[in-house]
C-alpha cells in the first residue's frame, strides 16, 4: 500500500469534496495545516506528499528516504527545493491552467468596481444621499467605460490569456508586455515601458523572481497614466507596496487592486492595510479560489498521482 500525506489540505477550503483523493489506492493522512516543526515527522513514511504552501527544503527532503512524488497544489513551485528533489530522484508535479476563468473574473470584478464605483454608490443609497438628492441620479464618483481603452498584460500564460479574452469582449485593446529591459521584442509583444505608458489598466500575471521583484516601483508607477489602474493577482513583491501607497495618494495612478501581498496572512498592523487609500482594493488571495477552479485543481492532483505512481 502506498502511503500519502496532504500537509495543508485546509488551504483548499472546507467546501471542496476530496473524495477523488480517497478513491485512489493510497493510505492517506490529511492534515488541515502543518507547521515547519511538524513537516518532517508527518512526511517521514510517505511515498507521495501533497503541499500547497508548506515548504519542503533541502534538509527535509534529505531525510525522506521513501518519498517518490511531491504534488504541489498550486502552479508556483518555489516552496520545494527542486535541485534536491531532482538529485534524490523525487518527481515534482504542480498544477497548471486550472484557474484562468476564476482569476479573470476577479480581475474584471475589481476593474469594474474601480471604474464604476458600484459599491460606493450602493453605500450612498444606504446612507440616504440618493433620497436627499435634487437630481434623479448621483455623480459623486467618476465613471469610465472600458470600451476603447487599453489593457496591458504583464506575463502571458494561461491566466493572462483568460484576462485577454474578457478584455476583448469588453472592446478593449490589448498590449502584451515584453520582459523589462529586453533587447529583442518578440512577435506580438510590446516593449515593457511602452505598455506602462499607454495602458489604461495593467494586469500582472508573471511569477515572482529576482528579476520581477519590485517590477512596479515608483519609477514605473510614475510612467503610468494618472487615470490608469494597476491590478496584481500574481504574487506579492512584484509591486512595491510602499511606493504603491504613495502613488495612489499622490494621484500618480487612479486606482489599484491587489489580491496578493508580500506577507500572507498579514499581521494586523500591516502597512499596506492600515494605510490603505480609498482607491485601493485588497482581496485576500482569492482570485484562484472559485469552487470550480479548486475542483479542477484537485482532479489535476489526482491525475499527477495516477500518472506517476499508479
Amino acid at each position: 500500500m502506498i502511503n500519502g500525506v496532504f500537509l495543508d489540505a485546509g488551504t483548499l477550503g472546507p467546501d471542496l469534496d476530496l473524495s477523488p483523493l480517497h478513491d485512489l489506492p493510497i493510505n492517506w493522512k490529511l492534515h488541515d495545516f502543518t507547521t515547519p516543526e511538524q513537516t518532517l515527522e508527518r512526511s517521514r513514511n510517505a511515498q507521495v506528499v501533497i503541499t500547497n504552501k508548506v515548504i519542503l527544503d533541502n534538509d527535509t527532503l534529505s531525510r525522506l528516504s521513501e518519498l517518490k512524488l511531491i504534488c504541489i497544489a498550486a502552479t508556483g513551485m518555489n516552496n520545494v527545493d527542486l535541485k534536491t528533489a531532482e538529485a534524490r530522484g523525487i518527481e515534482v508535479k504542480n498544477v497548471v491552467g486550472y484557474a484562468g476563468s476564476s482569476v479573470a473574473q476577479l480581475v474584471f470584478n475589481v476593474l469594474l468596481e474601480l471604474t464604476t464605483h458600484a459599491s460606493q454608490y450602493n453605500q450612498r443609497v444606504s446612507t440616504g444621499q440618493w433620497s436627499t438628492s435634487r437630481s434623479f441620479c448621483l455623480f459623486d464618483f467618476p465613471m469610465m467605460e472600458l470600451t476603447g481603452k487599453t489593457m496591458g498584460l504583464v506575463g502571458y500564460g494561461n491566466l493572462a490569456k483568460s484576462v485577454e479574452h474578457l478584455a476583448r469582449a469588453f472592446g478593449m485593446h490589448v498590449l502584451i508586455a515584453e520582459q523589462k529591459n529586453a533587447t529583442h521584442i518578440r512577435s506580438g509583444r510590446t516593449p515593457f515601458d511602452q505598455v506602462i505608458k499607454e495602458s489604461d489598466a495593467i494586469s500582472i500575471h508573471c511569477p515572482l523572481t529576482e528579476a520581477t521583484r519590485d517590477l512596479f516601483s515608483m519609477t514605473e508607477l510614475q510612467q503610468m497614466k494618472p487615470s490608469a489602474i494597476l491590478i496584481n493577482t500574481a504574487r506579492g513583491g512584484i509591486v512595491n507596496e510602499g511606493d504603491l501607497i504613495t502613488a495612489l495618494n499622490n494621484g500618480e495612478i487612479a486606482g489599484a487592486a491587489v489580491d496578493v501581498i508580500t506577507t500572507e496572512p498579514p499581521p494586523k498592523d500591516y502597512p499596506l492595510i492600515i494605510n490603505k487609500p480609498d482607491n485601493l482594493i485588497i482581496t485576500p488571495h482569492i482570485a484562484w479560489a472559485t469552487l470550480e477552479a479548486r475542483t479542477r485543481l484537485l482532479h489535476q492532483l489526482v491525475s499527477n498521482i495516477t500518472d506517476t505512481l499508479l
Side-chain angles (χ1 to χ4, degrees):
M1 175 65 77
I2 297 172
N3 293 319
V5 59
F6 196 155
L7 293 171
D8 50 355
T11 61
L12 296 189
D15 57 337
L16 185 63
D17 178 9
L18 297 179
S19 59
L21 279 180
H22 294 293
D23 290 340
L24 296 174
I26 292 176
N27 178 34
W28 286 109
K29 290 184 179 178
L30 272 55
H31 305 280
D32 283 342
F33 300 97
T34 295
T35 66
E37 294 76 22
Q38 296 170 322
T39 301
L40 177 61
E41 186 58 35
R42 289 182 172 182
S43 307
R44 193 178 297 278
N45 298 316
Q47 286 78 53
V48 54
V49 170
I50 303 176
T51 174
N52 187 346
K53 296 293 180 278
V54 175
I55 294 173
L56 296 173
D57 57 16
N58 171 71
D59 182 61
T60 300
L61 293 178
S62 298
R63 302 184 190 190
L64 299 178
S65 58
E66 297 189 39
L67 185 57
K68 297 183 180 349
L69 172 65
I70 299 169
C71 285
I72 303 174
T75 301
M77 304 174 74
N78 55 301
N79 58 323
V80 174
D81 188 321
L82 299 178
K83 290 183 179 180
T84 300
E86 181 180 13
R88 296 183 63 81
I90 302 169
E91 290 268 6
V92 182
K93 298 288 184 75
N94 64 340
V95 290
V96 296
Y98 66 92
S101 296
S102 181
V103 169
Q105 184 170 300
L106 182 72
V107 167
F108 271 84
N109 180 303
V110 295
L111 179 57
L112 288 168
E113 176 58 34
L114 289 166
T115 54
T116 63
H117 304 282
S119 65
Q120 290 171 295
Y121 275 115
N122 178 62
Q123 184 65 22
R124 287 288 194 271
V125 173
S126 299
T127 54
Q129 280 93 327
W130 194 22
S131 299
T132 59
S133 173
R134 296 185 65 185
S135 174
F136 71 95
C137 73
L138 300 180
F139 294 96
D140 294 19
F141 305 99
M143 297 173 63
M144 181 181 77
E145 289 187 358
L146 297 180
T147 302
K149 301 300 190 297
T150 298
M151 167 69 80
L153 298 175
V154 177
Y156 194 55
N158 171 267
L159 303 179
K161 290 173 182 175
S162 295
V163 172
E164 177 186 22
H165 178 74
L166 288 187
R168 295 193 187 280
F170 272 92
M172 301 183 76
H173 307 296
V174 176
L175 296 178
I176 304 163
E178 184 54 87
Q179 294 180 9
K180 187 176 181 180
N181 299 322
T183 56
H184 171 71
I185 307 302
R186 289 170 284 178
S187 175
R189 305 290 177 109
T190 301
F192 180 83
D193 288 346
Q194 183 179 342
V195 173
I196 298 300
K197 294 174 183 177
E198 296 183 4
S199 296
D200 298 290
I202 295 175
S203 190
I204 301 172
H205 300 282
C206 58
L208 176 64
T209 66
E210 286 310 307
T212 62
R213 188 176 300 279
D214 287 338
L215 183 64
F216 283 82
S217 59
M218 189 56 70
T219 299
E220 290 71 33
L221 295 168
Q222 288 179 333
Q223 291 183 66
M224 293 173 64
K225 295 179 180 180
S227 58
I229 291 167
L230 180 65
I231 302 169
N232 184 16
T233 57
R235 285 291 182 268
I238 295 174
V239 177
N240 183 292
E241 294 171 354
D243 288 353
L244 179 62
I245 292 175
T246 300
L248 289 167
N249 285 330
N250 291 348
E252 305 287 355
I253 60 175
V258 297
D259 186 54
V260 288
I261 60 177
T262 304
T263 302
E264 298 176 353
K268 291 183 179 180
D269 60 349
Y270 196 73
L272 188 67
I273 295 175
I274 63 174
N275 298 314
K276 188 180 84 65
D278 291 339
N279 52 350
L280 172 62
I281 296 173
I282 303 175
T283 50
H285 206 139
I286 58 169
W288 68 286
T290 60
L291 180 58
E292 293 85 351
R294 286 179 286 128
T295 299
R296 289 190 291 269
L297 181 156
L298 180 66
H299 286 295
Q300 276 201 46
L301 285 176
V302 171
S303 294
N304 286 341
I305 295 168
T306 301
D307 294 346
T308 305
L309 293 182
L310 302 177

